[in-house]
Amino acid sequence: MERSDHLDRDSVVPLYFQLQEILKEKIELGLWNAGEALPPEEELCATYDVSRTVVRQALAILEQDRQIIRVRGSGTFVAVPKVEQRAGGFSRLLDSATPGAQITILDARTQTASRRIGAQLNLKSDSDILRVMSLLHIRDVPVALFDSFFPVSDSTELRRILPRAFPSVLTNRPRRTIELTKTEVTIETSFCSKWEAEQLAIPFRGAVFVTLIVEHRAAGHQDRPFEVARAVYRADRVQFHLELSGHSAIPQATWQLSEAN
């Protein structure tokens, strides 16, 4: 028997906790894939020579950690992996491979920057910008709506991958020619408009998180604004987290897909 399957009966660590660590390791190594059934409780009891109480305590921990799903009358199954994404704009979304993500471009056009957007992007007055409106689906569920603005001079690669008709699912991603650096994010709660509700498939004036974003890109030894965006997230499907660390590190906001209510 491999070491990873060994239960140390002389350890101060309870058998149920050791067992859940073994099962968790097998899941993370891909020995059981998402949606695949774990062995029945009786088989686990026989394999590890433990009581059903030990097995059920181990499975309870894994269920609490959302590693598994237990379905009465059907069995125990490996849960679909958690979706977690750094909070940011459309460009940050393209820069990361979010599991189960589909991006639909609702509209894309060149227009003159407003005074506020121009100032945030450090542009001269009356500069042209690229506006992209997009909708993020995770596992076929609409999760977030983005309204993003880019300097035309910085958006050549982005414009190359955008579809010509709308709405269209984005099938290509830009080459990583732009290094995104810091993200400025403001998060507030609000209620969605009628159009936002239609796009996100939630009731009119349903609760949402609104994020106001400025993405920066590397420019020599400095950063410069690359994207200004407003993103609307479904409050019933998304949880936001703020990650703090020592040594004067910049806090980072992330969002995680929650279970449906």
Side-chain angles (χ1 to χ4, degrees), residues 236-256:
D236 65 330
R237 296 309 305 268
V238 170
Q239 298 172 341
F240 275 91
H241 305 273
L242 185 63
E243 299 179 3
L244 302 174
S245 57
H247 310 294
S248 301
I250 299 175
Q252 179 175 299
T254 62
W255 61 264
Q256 186 177 97

Side-chain angles (χ1 to χ4, degrees), residues 158-173:
L158 179 58
R159 282 182 284 136
R160 186 176 292 125
I161 67 163
L162 291 174
R164 301 192 178 199
F166 311 105
S168 292
V169 174
L170 189 65
T171 56
N172 298 315
R173 289 180 180 267

Side-chain angles (χ1 to χ4, degrees), residues 3-4 24 34 36 68 85 91 111 113 125 141 144 179-180 193 206 221 229 236-237 258:
R3 179 68 181 173
S4 61
K24 179 178 180 181
E36 187 175 344
I68 62 171
Q85 172 76 36
S91 56
Q111 62 186 55
S125 59
V141 176
E179 179 187 354
L180 296 176
S193 67
H221 298 292
D236 65 330
R237 296 309 305 268
S258 63

Side-chain angles (χ1 to χ4, degrees), residues 69-95:
I69 298 174
R70 304 170 80 179
V71 181
R72 185 182 296 274
S74 298
T76 302
F77 303 87
V78 178
V80 176
K82 295 178 182 178
V83 174
E84 187 171 83
Q85 172 76 36
R86 177 173 170 178
F90 177 67
S91 56
R92 183 72 59 181
L93 197 62
L94 292 178
D95 198 52

Side-chain angles (χ1 to χ4, degrees), residues 123 128 150-156 159:
L123 298 176
D128 285 339
F150 304 86
V152 166
S153 58
D154 260 359
S155 61
T156 302
R159 282 182 284 136

Side-chain angles (χ1 to χ4, degrees), residues 86 92 119-123 151 154 178-184 214-227 250:
R86 177 173 170 178
R92 183 72 59 181
Q120 289 178 295
L121 290 173
N122 288 344
L123 298 176
D154 260 359
I178 293 175
E179 179 187 354
L180 296 176
T181 55
K182 69 177 182 180
T183 308
E184 299 174 23
V214 181
E215 291 282 7
H216 292 74
R217 62 164 294 183
H221 298 292
Q222 297 180 333
D223 297 331
R224 72 165 180 259
F226 173 65
E227 175 187 2
I250 299 175

Side-chain angles (χ1 to χ4, degrees), residues 167-202:
S168 292
V169 174
L170 189 65
T171 56
N172 298 315
R173 289 180 180 267
R175 293 174 297 174
R176 292 198 172 186
T177 57
I178 293 175
E179 179 187 354
L180 296 176
T181 55
K182 69 177 182 180
T183 308
E184 299 174 23
V185 181
T186 300
I187 304 172
E188 57 189 39
T189 57
S190 186
F191 300 99
C192 65
S193 67
K194 183 178 179 181
W195 184 76
E196 291 167 341
E198 292 172 352
Q199 301 304 314
L200 295 173
I202 58 177

